[in-house]
Amino acid sequence: MTEVATASAAATGIAMATEKAAKELSPEEERVLIRDIALTAEANTKEGDSFFLITQKWWQHWIDYVNQDQQPNNSNNNEGSSSLSGNSDSNGVGISKRPSGIDNSDLISDGPAEDANSDDGVEIHDTLLEGRDYVLLPQQVWNLLFSWYGGGPALSRKVINSGLSQTEFAVEVYPLRLQLLVTPKGDRSTIRISKKETIGELHRGACEIFHLNLEQVCIWDYYGHRKHALMNDMDKTLDDANIQMDQDILVEVLNNVNDTLVTDGTSITDNGFADKEATSVLLEPSKSSLSIAGGLSANKIASKGYSAEQLQNQTLGCPNKESDNHFENSGVSTRGTFGGLTGLLNLGNTCFMNSAIQCLVHTPEFARYFREDYHQEINWQNPLGMVGELALAFGELLRKLWAPGRTPVAPRPFKAKLARFAPQFSGYNQHDSQELLAFLLDGLHEDLNRVKHKPYVNSRDADGRPDEEVADEYWANHIARNDSIIVDVCQGQYKSTLVCPVCNKVSVTFDPFMYLSLPLQFATTRSMTITIFTCDGSALPSTCTITVPKQGRYRDLIQAVSNACSLKQTEEIKLVEIRNHLIHRFLDDSFVSLSTIKDDDHLAAYKIQKSATGNVLLQLIHRRQEQETSDAQRWKPFGTPLISSLLCDDVIRSGVIQTIVQTMLTPLLKEGIEYSDDSDPSTSGMARDPSDHGSGEVDTNCASTSINKVLPKLPLQLVDESKTCIDLSAGDEKAINLSAMSHVVVYLDWTSKLLEKFNINYLENLPEVFKYGPITKKARTEPLSLYTCLEAFLREEPLVPEDMWYCPQCKEQRQASKKLDLWRLPEVLVIHLKRFSYSRSMKHKVETFVNFPIHDFDLTNYVADKRSSCSQLYELYALTNHYGGMGSGHYTAHIKLLDENKWYNFDDSHISPINEEDVKSAAAYVLFYRRAKSDTSGTSSAGSRRARDKTSYKY
């Protein structure tokens, strides 16, 4: 079908749906109509089209509703009859009810909207994620759903051009939120505006909010409460002007017409404008005494041909003797001058590389080192290096990222060099950010190793010598062969102690480290509560709590349940999840991870008889009448379904099914109750062995509780292969064809009289897999401390069998115990949280939240060398995050710009400010700490760590 024909069909469908709006469409009609319209709308999407946010919870409810099969042909039109739904498995899952009105309230921010021009005063939460919290629907789809269901509120967003070529489409879920400040009146307001709108639109919007005339107002990029640039190019988009979310915009009201700015650069007077004859540069008087970073004077800049518009981003003044100081000492912080807010384009699954690079680029020592002339330190002959090419590629990329402006950089040259020297990172697959980081640090070290000819050194064992003497010897030997900016900044030393378990030989060595890989100490087992049912009438339902491996599989759970209920060799366990009083799924795939079972799920286990020839499962679903309206009742499921087994015969008699169900319910029959009603006496009798009817699956001889109990004939209905309900209470000889049925679903309709005969409370209130109590919940939600992870890393433990130690005294391989201690710490401490674990059969990511300190990470008590006078306090300045699962997911970086003392989120090419309290999350992966400098230390201690005098880097 052509696009024109498809669009025509969709338009016809909309018209038909509108005419039919007063009537209820079938789920299938809704599904097909919405699908066709959505496909057409998305195929013809263009800039400026509207999409609507709708809560993921409501949308999923609607998806479940429209994807169900046709209900069973039951004249009673009973809700429970629809348990064989189209989106369920073959286990008799229940139908989804038609959703109520659209409810987007969980997307709406609790507080009042601050935006002066937000739609209907509605503000959404700042942290929503598509696919988790909401989905985006084309306007035509929203209009139909709204006409059918009502509700709201409507949350409309526009389609904009995106991408480097501006040919890709994206929905701008979060338009820019800008803070407008009026001077000199001091009024404030907030405005929402698309980043694709022009400066002229922002200008007009600001004037409307504050009731000002266009001619009396000029607006400034007021980032960081400093005038960075006059926004006078009315046709430039806010995106091109580098305007960011939550940024300040200064609305300057000019006092008279003489204050009006002339846009060709000929500005006047005392509103911060310099006359064209005096200079072509826009000055801010309060900053005129400060110099540009790098020491360039106004004359030097002008001589290089910079335009007035470019120079508006600079803060100029008279050159002085400090004009050659580096930016750390300038005391000036202006966007566009120092840089550091430039993103990296994602070349295709390169977020792992972008996040690691940004953290290294924003390490103060590296930022300064690579912006100076480092070429003299490149080791061109090092056989372990990359002939200086990696260092040159990284240095060039760092300089681009610190250059003025914020146009995202495409790191293609760097990636090409990376693929050449590390083929494992070639292509466009996702990789581990920490593995890349380890390669970069090691590769940069070898390229920049100042040691051109490595001497041979022989490190001796301690042999009882003082630790201090041995440690210094090991470090001197290491520095003799490895001396680079990477060693100066990132390398520390730990003490390794091995003890032979046979002869108690102690071996002490001191080894360098580039980073610490800390294990996440999380629970290795998991408690799960399950209710066990028997099908032979031998026992009441019982609840048991078992312990299984947290990273185990269904087979571990089935085995644990089998042990807990003393399963016989002639029996087997059927494990199911119960949802809405129906069987939602069978947990019968032995290799599925237990992580798919949530703590608030409800599980039931059924003991049934094994059969050498195979069997068919009988699912008994309980229903009772509930008042739906003032004059109507419907049969609705309740309680917990029961399961038994039938032989794989082609035909079974209805009386056999009656007997099996009676046997399963025998333990629930109240003591002293005798059944009597107006029915034929033949409709009741003793529970008997169903083998008399050819089943042979339920051994009622074991049903001690059934002796001398009179069981009533039960009102049963069976759903056959055509989904038609068959009444099984009319007689015992009705033949049921099982040949085309993988399982049998039977409904037991409990009348009020029947409910009086049984203790049905055993079928209700199925417990959750794990119920949080007041104490358990507190213990469970307490975050894992980074200190705890460090202590686990330093804890003494035996070596794994694959990593045995050769004992020089025993002359044999021994599984020695190993103990690590931190001896000397680097200026920049990189900590890797070991979230990923690998084995031959599986990969796993640990989602544990680690509570890591941002300030005052105190390692004093963990450093074994007590001679050190250096501060052991560290401050966090960067980290990488990983969101999602193994083999996929997404990497970002949180980085603190030290000159601004402000945190930013670096998400590939997108950079946005974040609050410090938002830095911590369960996604944190690699942490970057720097040693806190005391007020009295005038220089970094990096230089004091080295044997000879070198340049120290203060930051």
Side-chain angles (χ1 to χ4, degrees):
M1 183 181 291
T2 64
E3 290 186 6
V4 174
T6 304
S8 176
T12 303
I14 294 175
M16 293 174 59
T18 304
E19 292 176 5
K20 207 173 179 179
K23 304 176 183 179
E24 183 175 316
L25 296 172
S26 71
E28 178 66 10
E29 287 177 317
E30 288 191 22
R31 183 185 69 81
V32 173
L33 187 58
I34 291 296
R35 179 200 62 191
D36 293 344
I37 295 172
L39 290 174
T40 303
E42 292 180 8
N44 296 281
T45 298
K46 60 184 181 300
E47 185 179 13
D49 286 352
S50 293
F51 274 66
F52 285 75
L53 280 74
I54 193 168
T55 176
Q56 173 71 30
K57 182 164 51 177
W58 190 94
W59 175 252
Q60 187 59 52
H61 189 171
W62 182 83
I63 290 293
D64 293 340
Y65 167 67
V66 298
N67 278 292
Q68 57 200 345
D69 286 345
Q70 183 181 357
Q71 298 183 17
N73 182 18
N74 185 349
S75 59
N76 294 332
N77 193 26
N78 296 334
E79 181 176 331
S81 302
S82 58
S83 64
L84 299 175
S85 61
N87 66 324
S88 67
D89 55 23
S90 59
N91 304 315
V93 183
I95 193 171
S96 293
K97 294 175 60 177
R98 188 174 191 274
S100 55
I102 299 170
D103 182 9
N104 281 335
S105 59
D106 54 349
L107 303 181
I108 307 302
S109 178
D110 296 333
E114 298 179 356
D115 303 352
N117 66 335
S118 62
D119 296 339
D120 302 323
V122 175
E123 267 290 288
I124 64 174
H125 290 292
D126 287 338
T127 57
L128 301 179
L129 291 178
E130 184 178 3
R132 184 194 71 182
D133 302 307
Y134 67 88
V135 294
L136 289 167
L137 303 178
Q139 183 169 359
Q140 300 93 318
V141 173
W142 164 264
N143 290 343
L144 267 186
L145 290 175
F146 184 75
S147 69
W148 294 339
Y149 294 94
L155 302 172
S156 174
R157 295 295 186 268
K158 294 293 185 181
V159 174
I160 61 173
N161 287 323
S162 65
L164 188 61
S165 62
Q166 295 293 303
T167 58
E168 302 171 11
F169 291 131
V171 178
E172 190 177 28
V173 175
Y174 290 102
L176 290 175
R177 178 174 55 207
L178 304 177
Q179 312 299 323
L180 304 178
L181 293 79
V182 180
T183 182
K185 294 195 298 182
D187 294 343
R188 306 174 67 94
S189 185
T190 306
I191 187 173
R192 278 278 192 187
I193 187 170
S194 171
K195 64 182 181 181
K196 294 300 181 181
E197 290 287 5
T198 63
I199 290 175
E201 288 298 325
L202 176 61
H203 191 189
R204 282 187 288 273
C207 290
E208 290 177 4
I209 291 172
F210 297 111
H211 307 291
L212 301 171
N213 294 326
L214 290 172
E215 295 78 10
Q216 294 180 328
V217 170
C218 63
I219 56 176
W220 292 80
D221 178 348
Y222 203 51
Y223 183 88
H225 281 217
R226 292 187 177 90
K227 289 183 179 179
H228 292 285
L230 179 69
M231 300 173 68
N232 57 1
D233 185 348
M234 297 301 171
D235 295 326
K236 179 184 281 189
T237 67
L238 300 178
D239 193 23
D240 292 337
N242 287 328
I243 302 302
Q244 301 294 314
M245 180 70 76
D246 291 324
Q247 183 180 317
D248 293 323
I249 299 294
L250 184 65
V251 180
E252 187 169 24
V253 181
L254 306 178
N255 294 327
N256 53 65
V257 70
N258 293 328
D259 291 332
T260 303
L261 178 69
V262 181
T263 58
D264 62 357
T266 334
S267 299
I268 54 175
T269 82
D270 42 298
N271 279 302
F273 305 117
D275 185 80
K276 184 176 181 180
E277 295 179 359
T279 179
S280 62
V281 184
L282 191 63
L283 293 176
E284 187 175 351
S286 62
K287 307 278 192 310
S288 60
S289 61
L290 300 176
S291 63
I292 301 176
L296 296 178
S297 67
N299 291 332
K300 290 180 181 178
I301 294 177
S303 68
K304 293 188 177 184
Y306 282 67
S307 68
E309 182 179 356
Q310 289 172 306
L311 290 174
Q312 287 173 9
N313 290 325
Q314 310 295 340
T315 304
L316 305 181
C318 300
N320 54 47
K321 64 180 181 180
E322 295 181 350
S323 62
D324 291 329
N325 287 351
H326 297 289
F327 73 91
E328 290 86 351
N329 298 324
S330 69
V332 188
S333 172
T334 58
R335 186 185 62 169
T337 299
F338 300 148
L341 287 176
T342 301
L344 288 166
L345 292 176
N346 193 319
L347 307 178
N349 281 328
T350 55
C351 56
F352 77 97
M353 179 182 75
N354 293 348
S355 60
I357 288 175
Q358 291 287 14
C359 291
L360 290 180
V361 161
H362 288 85
T363 298
E365 289 85 354
F366 296 158
R368 177 176 176 181
Y369 178 87
F370 283 99
R371 283 188 291 172
E372 295 178 343
D373 186 8
Y374 62 92
H375 294 74
Q376 60 185 356
E377 293 200 338
I378 292 179
N379 192 329
W380 307 100
Q381 289 81 36
N382 187 355
L384 300 179
M386 288 78 174
V387 204
E389 292 189 32
L390 183 65
L392 289 172
F394 179 80
E396 180 64 24
L397 181 58
L398 181 145
R399 292 186 180 205
K400 289 180 180 179
L401 293 176
W402 277 101
R406 282 196 246 170
T407 301
V409 175
R412 290 187 181 90
F414 178 81
K415 188 179 186 305
K417 295 293 184 185
L418 186 67
R420 176 183 172 187
F421 295 109
Q424 67 269 30
F425 298 117
S426 61
Y428 295 95
N429 294 323
Q430 184 68 277
H431 295 280
D432 190 330
S433 178
Q434 187 273 333
E435 291 179 0
L436 172 73
L437 180 67
F439 170 80
L440 282 180
L441 289 174
D442 187 62
L444 290 173
H445 158 65
E446 296 296 351
D447 266 4
L448 299 170
N449 196 347
R450 304 177 184 107
V451 179
K452 302 303 188 285
H453 303 285
K454 296 185 178 183
Y456 172 78
V457 295
N458 183 24
S459 297
R460 297 180 298 152
D461 199 11
D463 289 331
R465 291 184 294 160
D467 284 347
E468 292 78 6
E469 177 185 338
V470 180
D472 290 345
E473 177 184 296
Y474 270 80
W475 189 251
N477 290 341
H478 176 66
I479 292 297
R481 295 173 56 84
N482 302 276
D483 186 11
S484 69
I485 182 64
I486 306 298
V487 175
D488 296 344
V489 175
C490 293
Q491 285 198 352
Q493 186 182 36
Y494 59 75
K495 173 185 175 183
S496 175
T497 304
L498 293 170
V499 180
C500 178
V502 178
C503 68
N504 293 322
K505 164 69 176 177
V506 177
S507 173
V508 177
T509 58
F510 292 84
D511 302 308
F513 68 83
M514 193 86 76
Y515 52 84
L516 300 178
S517 288
L518 304 188
L520 304 189
Q521 295 296 300
F522 62 101
T524 58
T525 60
R526 177 185 181 186
S527 295
M528 304 181 76
T529 300
I530 297 172
T531 303
I532 301 174
F533 298 85
T534 59
C535 69
D536 60 4
S538 61
L540 287 166
S542 61
T543 299
C544 70
T545 300
I546 46 90
T547 300
V548 293
K550 190 170 185 180
Q551 306 307 324
R553 303 177 186 274
Y554 285 177
R555 63 188 177 192
D556 301 309
L557 178 58
I558 294 172
Q559 184 61 50
V561 174
S562 301
N563 296 338
C565 68
S566 303
L567 195 70
K568 300 175 183 177
Q569 290 187 348
T570 58
E571 297 174 324
E572 62 178 330
I573 285 288
K574 288 293 182 183
L575 196 63
V576 305
E577 179 189 347
I578 305 298
R579 189 177 295 181
N580 297 324
H581 311 294
L582 301 168
I583 294 175
H584 178 65
R585 57 175 174 150
F586 279 76
L587 311 182
D588 49 8
D589 188 338
S590 300
F591 298 100
V592 175
S593 172
L594 289 177
S595 63
T596 60
I597 302 175
K598 308 305 179 186
D599 285 342
D600 57 355
D601 287 343
H602 301 268
L603 301 187
Y606 301 93
K607 296 168 62 175
I608 64 174
Q609 295 295 315
K610 288 182 180 179
S611 174
T613 59
N615 52 35
V616 176
L617 291 181
L618 183 150
Q619 301 178 26
L620 180 67
I621 297 175
H622 311 280
R623 301 192 304 183
R624 62 186 170 193
Q625 283 191 319
E626 292 186 7
Q627 199 77 24
E628 191 166 77
T629 62
S630 58
D631 56 351
Q633 290 184 330
R634 295 187 70 179
W635 290 99
K636 291 190 175 182
F638 79 100
T640 304
L642 298 178
I643 289 180
S644 187
S645 57
L646 305 172
L647 280 177
C648 291
D649 294 334
D650 290 340
V651 177
I652 191 172
R653 302 294 176 182
S654 58
V656 175
I657 297 179
Q658 275 281 349
T659 303
I660 292 174
V661 174
Q662 289 172 346
T663 302
M664 287 193 290
L665 295 177
T666 298
L668 305 181
L669 191 63
K670 293 181 179 179
E671 295 291 341
I673 295 294
E674 292 189 3
Y675 185 85
S676 63
D677 57 14
D678 298 333
S679 63
D680 190 317
S682 64
T683 61
S684 63
M686 298 290 292
R688 52 195 179 277
D689 190 342
S691 62
D692 296 341
H693 296 263
S695 166
E697 288 303 307
V698 181
D699 183 9
T700 54
N701 293 327
C702 299
S704 59
T705 58
S706 69
I707 298 177
N708 297 327
K709 283 192 175 182
V710 179
L711 299 176
K713 179 65 69 68
L714 301 169
L716 304 177
Q717 295 189 66
L718 180 144
V719 182
D720 66 7
E721 67 275 8
S722 64
K723 300 181 181 177
T724 300
C725 289
I726 302 173
D727 188 359
L728 301 183
S729 59
D732 291 343
E733 299 305 318
K734 183 177 293 186
I736 309 297
N737 184 5
L738 300 180
S739 59
M741 303 174 68
S742 60
H743 65 279
V744 177
V745 175
V746 175
Y747 296 114
L748 171 54
D749 293 335
W750 290 80
T751 63
S752 57
K753 184 175 292 187
L754 192 60
L755 288 169
E756 296 174 358
K757 314 298 181 184
F758 291 85
N759 291 312
I760 62 168
N761 57 300
Y762 288 104
L763 300 177
E764 299 184 301
N765 302 320
L766 199 65
E768 295 178 352
V769 167
F770 186 89
K771 183 68 175 178
Y772 291 99
I775 297 178
T776 307
K777 186 172 184 180
K778 180 178 179 181
R780 188 177 180 87
T781 57
E782 183 176 347
L784 178 66
S785 167
L786 185 61
Y787 291 106
T788 303
C789 298
L790 179 60
E791 290 163 5
F793 173 75
L794 300 176
R795 187 178 302 131
E796 183 176 355
E797 59 184 14
L799 296 174
V800 295
E802 296 80 12
D803 192 21
M804 302 280 275
W805 171 65
Y806 181 79
C807 176
Q809 193 161 296
C810 295
K811 308 296 183 183
E812 291 186 21
Q813 298 287 335
R814 300 295 188 193
Q815 190 176 6
S817 62
K818 183 176 183 179
K819 173 72 171 69
L820 292 178
D821 292 289
L822 300 178
W823 189 261
R824 80 178 72 211
L825 296 178
E827 294 305 299
V828 170
L829 179 62
V830 181
I831 295 180
H832 164 225
L833 303 178
K834 296 175 68 173
R835 293 201 176 276
F836 302 121
S837 61
Y838 307 86
S839 67
R840 187 165 52 186
S841 59
M842 65 177 293
K843 299 177 181 179
H844 174 67
K845 180 186 176 184
V846 181
E847 300 282 1
T848 305
F849 173 76
V850 178
N851 186 17
F852 51 90
I854 296 177
H855 305 286
D856 298 331
F857 181 33
D858 191 356
L859 297 176
T860 303
N861 295 331
Y862 297 93
V863 178
D865 184 7
K866 302 304 180 183
R867 300 173 303 168
S868 176
S869 60
C870 294
S871 166
Q872 310 297 359
L873 284 177
Y874 284 81
E875 300 282 320
L876 185 75
Y877 71 93
L879 69 151
T880 64
N881 303 295
H882 181 270
Y883 302 92
M886 294 288 296
S888 60
H890 182 61
Y891 286 95
T892 67
H894 291 337
I895 295 172
K896 184 178 184 179
L897 288 194
L898 301 180
D899 56 313
E900 292 186 12
N901 195 32
K902 187 174 182 180
W903 284 91
Y904 289 86
N905 176 50
F906 285 70
D907 186 355
D908 289 329
S909 58
H910 179 71
I911 301 173
S912 57
I914 57 173
N915 296 323
E916 185 172 273
E917 56 267 25
D918 297 327
V919 169
K920 295 184 182 182
S921 77
Y925 185 38
V926 181
L927 310 175
F928 290 75
Y929 284 94
R930 61 188 183 93
R931 194 190 300 274
K933 299 299 184 294
S934 64
D935 295 336
T936 57
S937 61
T939 61
S940 164
S941 58
S944 62
R945 293 171 54 237
R946 299 171 51 189
R948 54 192 174 88
D949 183 33
K950 292 185 181 289
T951 305
S952 60
Y953 299 99
K954 181 174 183 291
Y955 59 99

